[in-house]
Amino acid sequence: MSGVGIVCIVLGILVICGRLPLVVAPGQNLRWLRRLVSSDSRIRVLGAVFVPLGVAMVWVGDPAEGDLAGVVMFLGLWILGASSLLLIAFPATYRSLIEGLTPEEPEGNLIGWRLAGLAGVAIGVIFIYAGVLAL
């Protein structure tokens, strides 16, 4: 079995699980996100959750094995950098970013958020498909 394929499938599942609620119930999901980033300790825990995923992606992503492995390694480095710097080292910056991007009281159709969630689900499906092909 290919480590790159397994990591791609896991990443695709995580992306789908993270973005599907935006398609189904964007208002509720945005309120949950604002509550999640309400304190520095919660943001740091969120960053600590993403670090093992980034490490696994860098570990299996040897660019000499192919283009998909190179993409996995690049995304792993990006996740490690974002997790380490933005979420763990500077949580207040991440909180201000989220609070600036999300509406304070989400109401209405929120079609833009639904489309963003749908795009994320499509990206997750692409990762799963690429992972299955890499197995």
Side-chain angles (χ1 to χ4, degrees), residues 97-109:
L97 177 71
I98 293 297
E99 288 175 351
L101 290 175
T102 59
E104 199 164 316
E105 272 305 314
E107 55 188 39
N109 196 6

Side-chain angles (χ1 to χ4, degrees), residues 63-89:
E65 290 185 22
D67 293 336
L68 182 61
V71 169
V72 167
M73 184 171 183
F74 173 76
L75 289 175
L77 289 171
W78 189 84
I79 287 173
L80 275 176
S83 304
S84 303
L85 287 177
L86 193 58
L87 296 174
I88 296 173

Side-chain angles (χ1 to χ4, degrees), residues 110-134:
L110 301 170
I111 190 70
W113 287 102
R114 288 181 191 267
L115 290 175
L118 192 60
V121 169
I123 290 170
V125 168
I126 290 170
F127 269 106
I128 290 173
Y129 181 72
V132 168
L133 289 180

Side-chain angles (χ1 to χ4, degrees), residues 1-9 60 65 68-69 72 130-135:
M1 292 185 103
S2 168
V4 174
I6 293 169
V7 168
C8 278
I9 292 171
V60 301
E65 290 185 22
L68 182 61
V72 167
V132 168
L133 289 180
L135 288 179

Side-chain angles (χ1 to χ4, degrees), residues 5 10 14-15 18 21 27 43 51 59-63 68 70 76 86-87 89 93 101 110 117 130:
V10 169
L14 288 174
V15 169
I43 296 172
V51 167
W59 184 48
V60 301
D62 183 14
L68 182 61
L86 193 58
L87 296 174
T93 305
L101 290 175
L110 301 170

